[in-house]
Amino acid sequence: MNLSLKDFYQGFRDPQTIKALALQIEQAAQQLDATPETPLKIMEVCGGHTHTIMKYGLGQILPNNIEFIHGPGCPVCIMPKERIDHAIVLAKMDNTILLTLGDMIRVPGSKSSLAKTRAAGADIRALYTPLDAIKIAQENPDKQVIFFAIGFETTTPMTAAVIKQAIALKLNNLFFHINHVLVPPAVVAIMQDDRCQIDALIGPSHVSVVSGAKIYLPLAEQFQVPIVVSGFEPVDVMQSILKIIQQVVAKKHQVEIQYSRAVSLEGNITAQQLIATYLEPRSHFRWRGLGDIPLSGLGLKAAYTALDAEKVFADQLSNEPIDDHKLCICGDILRGLAKPKDCKVFGRGCDPTRPLGSCMVSSEGACHAYYKYAEVALPSSSQSVDGS
Amino acid sequence: MCLSIPSIITQIDVDNIATVDSMGVRRQVSLDLMDQAVTIGDYVLIHVGFAMTKLDEADALASLELYQQIIDEMDAELAEASSAESTLENEQGG
């Protein structure tokens, strides 16, 4: 039998399969030591998984001795305000076109957002693909074109591919402001926190397509937790939870690949080599909500300083840290110490149109997902999101 | 942000570009990041204009077959439970 394209979607969203896996999870979870008071805490690292869990209400069909901790894996959410301010300052320069991916446009910096700056007249464009940066730079030889690059390991090789083309074409008007971040250092920062009690991890889908599941081997060893690399569909997530429970019951802490139709242990070597050619880890990178994390972000190598917007326009840019509102508890939410509904400003002063903190910024952030899927996520006994 | 779209390659174009169909949406994607050769009919994952990996059809098929087995087991268990229940009811009734 051959598959059709439809099977890659529907096969992994099938309600009967979700139900059958829920039954298996329920049976397996009876063998856990975890109780509703001290549940097994599973952190889904990636915002895409948070979105799936909320959208399909997976938390509601799991036994009550299992709890999700919503991790830091949303590259837009973790961007500190001072770097969003960079994008705005750069976009306001004369004779400049600022390019970025769509997710970034609405996110507020300290005073404004790219959307508002665009409305005020700046030339800011959301790209479908980073490759369009080449075309825009070629079509506008008299302007400086700056690509504000964002994303985890998933999106990094695409930026590297564009850098390669820009160099090959000898474009001298295309610059790169690199904000690519890495999953493992952020997970280490969370797991090392003494207050954190995460028992297992659901590993990201497409970060792992690029980097390979090998990047989690040191984490499983260091923190003695099972890590299951999962696809983004609800069936994938349910099967991954079952695999995690089976490991916990068997007292194992291995890296397993549930998403084996796309992920290998080694990952995409071509993509990894392309990244390593042009980019290298920064000594540290500040994450919104989590603070400074060593070796967690990438920057252009010194050989490519002439393309590096942070260096070329350094006199315009401030690196003074700008923190979130003091009532915001996103840092605790990202560490699994609090849930969105524990926050005093959730839905009352902080909502997707006026986000105060990182988790409300994009639909992959925990607060945004809770807000959007409130009826699924919050049982009727809980407060409504508008505080009424 | 990290979402990728399963697609099928419908045409190999020039300059390492391919045309793909993503559930009815046709688009051109770069093959610059592919570390495996691709041909028409291959399934690939697309992310921001690039194909990032082939999807393993045999692996996906094996998963779907496993899921069918799990559903069948659930149905059998539920049928058994309901027949046990009706037997119990009959016994109680008799």
Side-chain angles (χ1 to χ4, degrees):
Chain A
M1 178 190 142
N2 285 327
L3 291 182
S4 70
L5 183 56
K6 205 174 66 180
D7 296 320
F8 283 95
Y9 291 83
Q10 289 178 357
F12 297 89
R13 293 175 190 169
D14 174 52
Q16 277 298 98
T17 310
I18 295 172
K19 195 175 154 193
L21 284 166
L23 199 67
Q24 291 215 340
I25 288 170
E26 198 182 314
Q27 289 165 355
Q30 287 169 6
Q31 299 170 57
L32 290 169
D33 296 332
T35 64
E37 292 73 37
T38 55
L40 182 77
K41 294 189 173 183
I42 302 175
M43 183 170 85
E44 84 279 6
V45 175
C46 177
H49 285 132
T50 305
H51 194 92
T52 299
I53 288 164
M54 301 307 290
K55 180 174 176 184
Y56 292 92
L58 300 186
Q60 277 61 54
I61 56 172
L62 290 178
N64 56 8
N65 60 347
I66 293 172
E67 184 185 331
F68 287 115
I69 306 295
H70 310 300
C74 161
V76 177
C77 305
I78 60 85
M79 189 76 66
K81 284 183 182 173
E82 63 269 21
R83 294 190 76 81
I84 301 170
D85 286 357
H86 279 194
I88 292 169
V89 168
L90 294 172
K92 282 180 171 172
M93 292 192 305
D94 289 340
N95 222 26
T96 300
I97 304 173
L98 187 106
L99 312 174
T100 191
L101 297 178
D103 308 51
M104 201 65 229
I105 297 283
R106 280 184 47 250
V107 183
S110 65
K111 297 187 189 75
S112 187
S113 67
L114 286 172
K116 286 181 188 163
T117 311
R118 180 169 62 186
D123 192 346
I124 296 169
R125 305 183 192 179
L127 301 181
Y128 156 67
T129 168
L131 279 175
D132 289 342
I134 298 287
K135 204 169 69 181
I136 293 169
Q138 285 174 325
E139 287 169 358
N140 296 276
D142 302 331
K143 294 200 168 179
Q144 48 196 21
V145 178
I146 302 170
F147 178 45
F148 189 79
I150 58 166
F152 278 101
E153 287 91 333
T154 316
T155 315
T156 311
M158 293 73 186
T159 300
V162 174
I163 296 170
K164 183 182 178 183
Q165 283 200 23
I167 293 170
L169 293 165
K170 297 189 168 62
L171 293 178
N172 57 9
N173 66 328
L174 180 57
F175 304 92
F176 296 84
H177 189 291
I178 303 291
N179 301 278
H180 289 299
V181 284
L182 302 169
V183 163
V187 171
V188 169
I190 291 172
M191 299 291 284
Q192 275 177 340
D193 190 319
D194 289 340
R195 299 167 298 167
C196 152
Q197 291 178 338
I198 289 162
D199 302 306
L201 298 170
I202 295 178
S205 309
H206 298 131
V207 163
S208 311
V209 167
V210 171
S211 297
K214 65 186 175 197
I215 62 171
Y216 311 112
L217 294 172
L219 300 178
E221 197 48 47
Q222 183 180 352
F223 300 108
Q224 307 267 303
V225 291
I227 303 178
V228 177
V229 176
S230 171
F232 271 143
E233 301 295 348
V235 167
D236 292 321
V237 175
M238 291 296 279
Q239 192 184 14
S240 298
I241 292 164
L242 180 60
K243 284 178 180 291
I244 284 173
I245 296 171
Q246 287 165 342
Q247 277 206 44
V248 173
V249 168
K251 301 198 186 317
K252 288 182 177 170
H253 49 87
Q254 292 171 341
V255 174
E256 259 186 282
I257 305 173
Q258 180 276 336
Y259 193 31
S260 48
R261 62 190 183 276
V263 172
S264 63
L265 193 62
E266 289 304 319
N268 183 330
I269 302 291
T270 302
Q272 291 166 26
Q273 285 172 345
L274 200 58
I275 295 169
T277 304
Y278 301 104
L279 303 173
E280 63 185 4
R282 297 167 186 265
S283 60
H284 60 96
F285 189 92
R286 215 170 80 88
W287 292 52
R288 195 172 179 176
L290 289 177
D292 240 355
I293 303 177
L295 303 172
S296 65
L298 298 175
L300 274 163
K301 286 184 168 176
Y304 307 106
T305 299
L307 308 175
D308 190 343
E310 278 185 85
K311 302 277 164 50
V312 175
F313 306 108
D315 57 338
Q316 308 273 327
L317 306 174
S318 161
N319 286 309
E320 193 63 36
I322 304 170
D323 285 323
D324 276 330
H325 194 282
K326 61 181 190 303
L327 286 175
C328 171
I329 61 164
C330 284
D332 285 347
I333 293 171
L334 293 176
R335 291 183 180 85
L337 302 171
K339 286 277 184 286
K341 57 183 188 299
D342 299 327
C343 179
K344 284 180 187 152
V345 289
F346 176 77
R348 308 169 177 146
C350 179
D351 63 48
T353 59
R354 298 162 301 165
L356 289 183
S358 61
C359 306
M360 190 61 94
V361 161
S362 132
S363 65
E364 293 176 6
C367 294
H368 191 127
Y370 270 67
Y371 189 92
K372 184 169 176 187
Y373 299 112
E375 283 169 25
V376 186
L378 305 173
S380 55
S381 59
S382 301
Q383 66 189 42
S384 70
V385 290
D386 60 8
S388 57
Chain B
M1 178 75 213
C2 285
L3 292 182
S4 302
I5 309 161
S7 306
I8 185 166
I9 296 196
T10 56
Q11 191 177 306
I12 305 289
D13 307 317
V14 291
D15 293 337
N16 215 24
I17 298 279
T19 303
V20 300
D21 170 25
S22 316
M23 292 304 281
V25 180
R26 264 167 59 98
R27 57 184 116 209
Q28 284 198 309
V29 297
S30 166
L31 300 176
D32 284 355
L33 299 178
M34 290 299 293
D35 58 358
Q36 314 136 285
V38 292
T39 58
I40 292 170
D42 280 348
Y43 294 105
V44 288
L45 271 179
I46 305 301
H47 180 64
V48 294
F50 288 79
M52 60 194 308
T53 192
K54 270 205 236 187
L55 284 164
D56 186 333
E57 194 177 348
D59 184 283
L61 184 60
S63 293
L64 295 178
E65 283 171 355
L66 172 70
Y67 299 150
Q68 190 52 52
Q69 222 176 313
I70 295 174
I71 292 173
D72 292 346
E73 278 170 28
M74 171 181 74
D75 288 346
E77 249 176 70
L78 291 178
E80 203 177 298
S82 95
S83 102
E85 212 169 275
S86 67
T87 309
L88 195 65
E89 271 171 22
N90 286 342
E91 280 172 5
Q92 280 171 344

